[in-house]
């Protein structure tokens, strides 16, 4: 083989002896190291609220900040990705043509051996009135009873309705909690739930203090290091999802018990437990179990542990917007006050309809069927990714997410934003990893983010949708390996201006 024939395709000259312009562009694109050199990253930065902050001199985008005193907070990952999908032709009318592996919601239809799905909602005349901002008392009692039955049997301290506040969704619960926290250092981990970024940006009395979790330790939170950080940095609040979104890992057993013990040493724990049922045991005897910090709370009114959960994920009812916050009684009175000006309370008829769904025997059936069904889907997705030669470094032990590392793909497909844009061309939606890099000031060059080379895939949708999305991933990966990456990394649709019928 001659020296000339061994050169990469992008180095071949044109007939005139000079490289083609497309080849030069392609070669530069293969080498880019900064977000300014990437079309996908520039589209991201051009969205309202996604400009870097804390950079001097400060600049104002006249197209974005037109109302005095208003500053865009930036959108969550799912919202940004949905907007970009709409720009590529997605609509809720044609959604069946797309594979949405980005939406953080489980399938809502019937699954094997589960109780029947709710199909009607009674609406008593009294329920046409406002509900209390803390929620309907009977539902609060049902939540407390379920946690006592599941996690606190035999314990002297029991939850009552006074430890429960019903809220219209998990984000509303998180916002209520954030609104009543005073000026504190708030510890959070990277990667974690995308909405924490906006909460820490909007509620400025929480001073964000990050901890980057190490994939070499399977994203495990180092409890001993956390204790040191509390002492040396004065951390007053720790916020975390458990099980973890997006990595699919969880804090359980001894580690969770030690984490909860920090609440008795002057630190408040805010634990987002929406995926507490989505755990995948290896042994048949372990099916039907779930995980919650409620198991390790000693005194429900003294331990400063705040639990946020609801019907959204575990009960597979995201459209109901019925969730709850649990914690000491004095927290609930504060949340009643913040709810009075933030959201006004949850839907009254839906709260009443939720009460029988929390009956412990029904919950046991739901939990068992959910775990078996979603474990089957998890294993199916992992096998298909393996067949595409995209093995998952750290398979999920919980949630319905896969944290997929793209580093072994050829550039520019090896970063989450570009991979996401390429899949939009194939009518498939995933979430770029950078949205889970909780970075409230947006200061970092995105290429330096520890989440830059990742995407989050959801196996929440039905199996046929998963296969549709995996087929799209396979097409993109095979094309890159067989034909090279010349056609990737550019020519993305900026808006839907040319297709108004898709809005």
């Amino acid at each position: 083989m001659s020296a000339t024939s061994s050169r990469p395709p992008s180095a071949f000259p044109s007939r005139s002896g000079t490289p083609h312009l497309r080849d030069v562009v392609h070669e530069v694109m293969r080498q880019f190291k900064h977000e300014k050199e990437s079309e996908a990253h520039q589209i991201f930065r051009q969205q309202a609220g996604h400009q870097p902050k804390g950079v001097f001199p400060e600049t104002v985008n006249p197209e974005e900040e037109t109302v005095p005193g208003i500053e865009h907070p930036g959108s969550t990952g799912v919202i940004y990705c949905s907007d970009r999908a709409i720009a590529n032709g997605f609509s809720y009318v044609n959604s069946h043509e797309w594979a949405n592996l980005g939406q953080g919601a489980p399938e809502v239809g019937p699954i094997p051996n589960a109780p029947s799905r709710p199909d009607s909602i009674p609406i008593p005349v009294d329920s046409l009135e406002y509900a209390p901002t803390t929620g309907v008392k009977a539902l609060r009692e049902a939540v407390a009873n379920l946690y006592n039955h599941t996690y606190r049997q035999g314990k002297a301290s029991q939850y009552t309705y006074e430890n429960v506040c019903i809220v219209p969704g998990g984000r509303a619960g998180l916002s209520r909690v954030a609104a009543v926290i005073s000026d504190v250092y708030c510890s959070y981990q990277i990667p974690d739930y995308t909405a924490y970024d906006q909460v820490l940006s909007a509620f400025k009395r929480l001073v964000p203090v990050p901890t980057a979790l190490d994939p070499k330790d399977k994203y495990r939170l180092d409890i001993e290091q956390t204790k040191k950080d509390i002492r040396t940095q004065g951390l007053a609040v720790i916020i975390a999802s458990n099980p973890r979104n997006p990595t699919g890992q969880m804090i359980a057993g001894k580690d969770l018990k030690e984490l909860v013990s920090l609440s008795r040493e002057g630190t408040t724990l805010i634990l987002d437990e929406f995926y507490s049922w989505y755990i995948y045991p290896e042994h048949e005897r372990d099916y039907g179990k779930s995980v919650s910090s409620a198991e390790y709370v000693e005194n429900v009114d003294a331990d400063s542990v705040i639990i946020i959960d609801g019907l959204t994920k575990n009960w597979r009812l995201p459209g109901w917007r019925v969730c709850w916050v649990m914690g000491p009684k004095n927290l609930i009175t504060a949340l009643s006050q913040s709810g009075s000006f933030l959201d006004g309370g949850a839907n009254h008829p839906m709260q009443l309809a939720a009460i029988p769904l929390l009956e412990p025997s029904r919950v046991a059936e739901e939990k068992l069927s959910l775990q078996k069904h979603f474990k089957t889907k998890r294993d199916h997705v992992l096998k298909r990714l393996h067949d595409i030669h995209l093995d998952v470094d750290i398979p999920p032990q919980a949630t319905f997410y896969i944290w997929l590392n793209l580093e072994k793909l050829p550039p520019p497909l090896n970063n989450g934003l570009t991979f996401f844009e390429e899949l939009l061309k194939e009518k498939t939606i995933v979430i770029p990893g950078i949205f889970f890099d909780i970075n409230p000031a947006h200061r970092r060059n995105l290429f330096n983010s520890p989440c830059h080379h990742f995407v989050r895939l959801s196996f929440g949708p039905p199996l046929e949708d998963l296969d549709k999305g995996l087929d799209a991933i396979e097409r993109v990966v095979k094309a890159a390996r067989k034909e090279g990456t010349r056609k990737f990394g550019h020519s993305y649709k900026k808006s839907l201006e040319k297709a108004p019928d898709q809005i």
Side-chain angles (χ1 to χ4, degrees), residues 433-453:
I434 58 164
F435 285 104
F436 305 95
D437 178 358
I438 314 303
N439 181 21
H442 302 173
R443 290 184 174 91
R444 185 163 41 233
N445 169 16
L446 298 175
F447 272 69
N448 294 332
S449 167
C451 304
H452 184 246
H453 295 287

Side-chain angles (χ1 to χ4, degrees), residues 21-64:
L21 177 60
R22 67 175 182 271
D23 295 330
V24 173
V25 170
H26 178 62
E27 188 61 28
V28 170
M29 188 176 64
R30 283 177 56 85
Q31 303 300 325
F32 59 56
K33 300 293 184 183
H34 194 281
E35 59 183 67
K36 291 182 179 179
E37 299 163 335
S38 166
E39 187 174 320
H41 292 70
Q42 286 305 293
I43 292 173
F44 170 79
R45 286 300 195 195
Q46 288 162 11
Q47 294 291 315
H50 290 171
Q51 288 292 326
K53 301 175 184 177
V55 179
F56 295 97
E58 290 283 358
T59 58
V60 174
N61 181 351
E63 299 295 324
E64 178 179 318

